Every structure is written in structure tokens, then in C-alpha cells.
Amino acid sequence: MPEQVYDPLAPLRIDGAPDIDVFVWGTVFLDIIFTGLESLPGDGQEIWAEGMGSCPGGIANLAVAAQRLGLRTSLAAAFSDDAYGDFCWETLADFEHVDLSRSRRFPGWHSPVTVSLAVNRDRGMVSHGHPAPIGPTELIGRPPRARAVIAELGEGRPLLGASEPTWVERARADGALVFANVGWDPSGRWSREVLDQLQVCHAFLANADEAMAYTRAETPAEALYALADLVPLAIVTNGEEGAMAIDSESGEEAVVPALRVSALDPTGAGDVFAASMVLGTVAGWPLQQRLSFAALCSSLAVQQFGGSLAAPGWGDIADWWNSQRADPGTGSYHRSLLRRYAFLDDLVPDVPVGSGRRATATIARRADVPGYP
């Protein structure tokens, strides 16, 4: 049965509106994921995994997460002309329907690779790669008009140009909302200068440890308030404690608990959360709904193995909500879910049968992971 497409932004598709919803730039890795391991191998030891899958990773996790949620997504990245590059390009362009018009193939450049070992609800990773032959300015030029862009803050990855505008500044000048996230600082410096770049951003997402380290705050809540002084939309995620956010433009403040799920692999869950927040913001949802939706989508992701393999589609969201509505349970937690996600009643009836789900055809043919068809 052909996959049916659900467009949550259909009311915004008017003449003169951007054709692209989300534009991203970064490095695409070939991810090879081994699952069902009881432990990591010891010195000189060979162990067998119960399952494995392969999929595009790195920035592709974010691109796939956004596309599966119905956001028209464009990705700028360097791709090799080797077999790994062929696989990643084909998967993203032909099966996930990510726009690669700003991406390029580079003969002789080796595709970056990550091997992920899922053990005891966590994972260890080994990666290899080389810098891309050209940087984002030369690769992208002027970005396509988009409703939003997602960029990563960090030393050596400036969003502000010293002599000429960066791709982020150009996208913002053309009307895009800039969403920024941040990675772990292995140097331990957590330079405050990184946060100076937030002056071009509409939203900033960080986990609690990152937020507290950059703001020098003692609690996630204090870190959130500090970030809300720097950017209109500040979001802090806190693992099993849930997430919190402040939207200074609308005057909203929200806190949502995490869902009770059996987490198998957190790889890519942050990307799913970010893509969900972008969708809700662009669609104009209230902050509480945006945050609740992002918590739901990321919780669906961690119940499966492996980055872009686990990113949920609207079919998965509809399945989850329909199962909650059909559940006869009367416990307080179940009643809380029904109240918290009642807004899905306005969305799920419009989701056509056969809408996108995790592990679409091309991924599934290259996966041997329990739970995937």
C-alpha cells in the first residue's frame, strides 16, 4: 500500500509562502547499529548481536525526524561517491524525501561512519571521518527560503559572521526562524561566548546539564530563566524529569513530565524533540501543546533502536493516541495522558490510513532489528 502523506501545515500552504519548512546543514554519517548485546566486548573478544540496522545518521537524524513529521525538509551536506555515500543519498532523497538540492557529492572523500552498540538501555559508539572538502558558506551559498532553520552552537561553528553573513544570518534575513541547539563541550570550558550567538536565534534547546554549564546555574529551572533572557523561546530538557520552556513573545511558560516508557536507545531522541518543537512553533500551537507533543515524539523514538530508524511518523502518533483512547484504564496516570494529549483529537482524525511510520521500506530492507517489519 503506498504511503499516504499527512501535511500538518496544510493551512499555511499559500501563494508566496516558502516551499521549504526546515533547512539544516551538517555532517551525514553512515550509522551501523548493533542491538541485543548483553555487554560490550572485552579485549580480544568477539560477540554476536541479536540484530543490526544501517541508516543515515548525524545531521540526517534531524532531517529525517522533521520530514517524517510532515515538515518539508532541505539538507545541505557533503556526500562521498563511495558505496556508503550512495546508500545515504538514496535513502534520504528517494525514500525519506528529504530535499538534497544544496548537498553535493565529492569523489574520493570517505564517508563518515559511526558504529553504535546498544547495551543495557544505553549505547557506546565508535566513529571515523574526515572534515568535509568545503565549508557551509561555499556549499550552501544563499539558503533557500524556509520557515525555520536548525543550527548547532559551538566554538568553531559561529552563527555570526565577522566579515560576511553566515548562512544562518542569510536565512534569518529571508524570514526564517532560527532554532539552535548545542552539544557537549569536551573541553569543559563551557564558554559564555557561545551564548552570545543567540542574538540571531528565535529558539534555543539544551539539556539540563548543558544549560546549567553554560549559564552557571545551579538548577535546570534557574538555567531556563537565564536562557529566557537571551532568546525568545528557551527550552530545557531534563531526561526522566521531563522538559520546561518559556516563550517570551507569547508570555507562556510550560512544564511537562516525561512519559513512562521502556527506553531502549536514546540515539536521536533530541533531534526528534527539536523537530517536534519546530513543527509546533511554525504551526502556531500553544507552548504547552508544543512541549507535550515533543515529549511524546521523543518518547516514541527511545522505545526503538537507532537514530533515524526510530524517528516516528504521523502513523505512529495516530497509533499511540488511538490506543490510549481505546484503553479502558481508569488510573490517574492514564487520565492525565488523556487530558494532556486531548489536542491530538484535532489532528489524528486527519491522518490518513497508511501515513508514514518508523522504518519505512528502504530502511527496513537493510535492518535486522527486532520490532521492525
Side-chain angles (χ1 to χ4, degrees):
M1 178 178 180
E3 180 179 305
Q4 301 298 308
V5 177
Y6 171 61
D7 186 359
L9 299 184
L12 304 182
R13 310 290 183 202
I14 59 176
D15 291 341
D19 291 330
I20 299 298
D21 296 324
V22 179
F23 181 74
V24 295
W25 165 82
T27 302
V28 173
F29 288 75
L30 170 69
D31 280 0
I32 302 173
I33 305 136
F34 290 94
T35 69
L37 298 169
E38 295 183 358
S39 63
L40 294 174
D43 293 344
Q45 182 184 19
E46 178 185 13
I47 58 177
W48 283 75
E50 292 181 0
M52 69 162 289
S54 55
C55 59
I59 192 63
N61 291 336
L62 181 54
V64 170
Q67 185 71 32
R68 287 190 183 175
L69 289 176
L71 293 167
R72 297 175 182 175
T73 304
S74 181
L75 165 65
F79 288 80
S80 174
D81 63 345
D82 60 19
Y84 298 161
D86 290 342
F87 167 72
C88 290
W89 185 285
E90 175 192 2
T91 300
L92 291 169
D94 297 341
F95 295 94
E96 297 295 348
H97 309 296
V98 174
D99 172 64
L100 299 180
S101 61
R102 299 304 174 103
S103 295
R104 285 173 54 184
R105 307 294 298 271
F106 292 93
W109 182 62
H110 190 282
S111 292
V113 176
T114 292
V115 175
S116 177
L117 307 175
V119 180
N120 295 328
R121 298 172 61 180
D122 207 340
R123 83 281 193 202
M125 294 180 288
V126 179
S127 296
H128 172 75
H130 303 280
I134 60 175
T137 300
E138 185 178 353
L139 178 66
I140 298 169
R142 191 167 196 93
R145 283 187 64 222
R147 301 178 194 273
V149 299
I150 308 176
E152 182 175 344
L153 295 184
E155 292 186 87
R157 305 185 81 173
L159 304 187
L160 297 168
S163 58
E164 63 180 66
T166 64
W167 71 270
V168 172
E169 291 175 292
R170 288 172 173 163
R172 181 172 181 260
D174 286 338
L177 296 176
V178 179
F179 289 72
N181 54 26
V182 69
W184 186 258
D185 182 0
S187 72
R189 290 191 298 268
W190 303 101
S191 173
R192 286 278 303 184
E193 294 180 359
V194 171
L195 298 186
D196 292 341
Q197 301 175 68
L198 291 179
Q199 61 187 279
V200 298
C201 298
H202 174 78
F204 180 56
L205 302 91
N207 67 36
D209 290 336
E210 296 160 351
M212 289 188 293
Y214 275 115
T215 62
R216 294 357 183 219
E218 295 185 359
T219 68
E222 290 178 4
L224 175 68
Y225 287 117
L227 293 173
D229 289 333
L230 304 176
V231 68
L233 176 57
I235 306 109
V236 174
T237 61
N238 195 18
E240 295 182 354
E241 299 300 316
M244 60 190 81
I246 294 175
D247 189 327
S248 301
E249 290 189 343
S250 64
E252 297 171 280
E253 186 171 347
V255 178
V256 301
L259 277 73
R260 296 176 181 174
V261 298
S262 178
L264 297 179
D265 184 356
T267 305
D271 296 313
V272 171
F273 190 97
S276 305
M277 285 298 300
V278 171
L279 170 59
T281 301
V282 170
W285 298 351
L287 183 60
Q288 189 75 29
Q289 289 184 12
R290 283 180 268 169
L291 206 59
S292 296
F293 183 75
L296 168 62
C297 292
S298 58
S299 75
L300 293 175
V302 301
Q303 295 177 69
Q304 304 291 337
F305 287 105
S308 62
L309 278 174
W314 276 101
D316 300 300
I317 296 165
D319 289 346
W320 179 84
W321 181 237
N322 288 330
S323 70
Q324 298 303 315
R325 293 293 306 273
D327 190 332
T330 59
S332 58
Y333 175 72
H334 181 63
R335 294 198 305 272
S336 174
L337 287 181
L338 295 179
R339 290 192 301 268
R340 204 183 319 159
Y341 289 98
F343 68 92
L344 290 178
D345 274 339
D346 296 327
L347 299 172
V348 166
D350 295 326
V351 176
V353 174
S355 286
R357 288 174 169 81
R358 302 183 191 93
T360 54
T362 188
I363 299 288
R365 283 202 300 268
R366 294 165 173 83
D368 181 21
V369 178
Y372 291 101

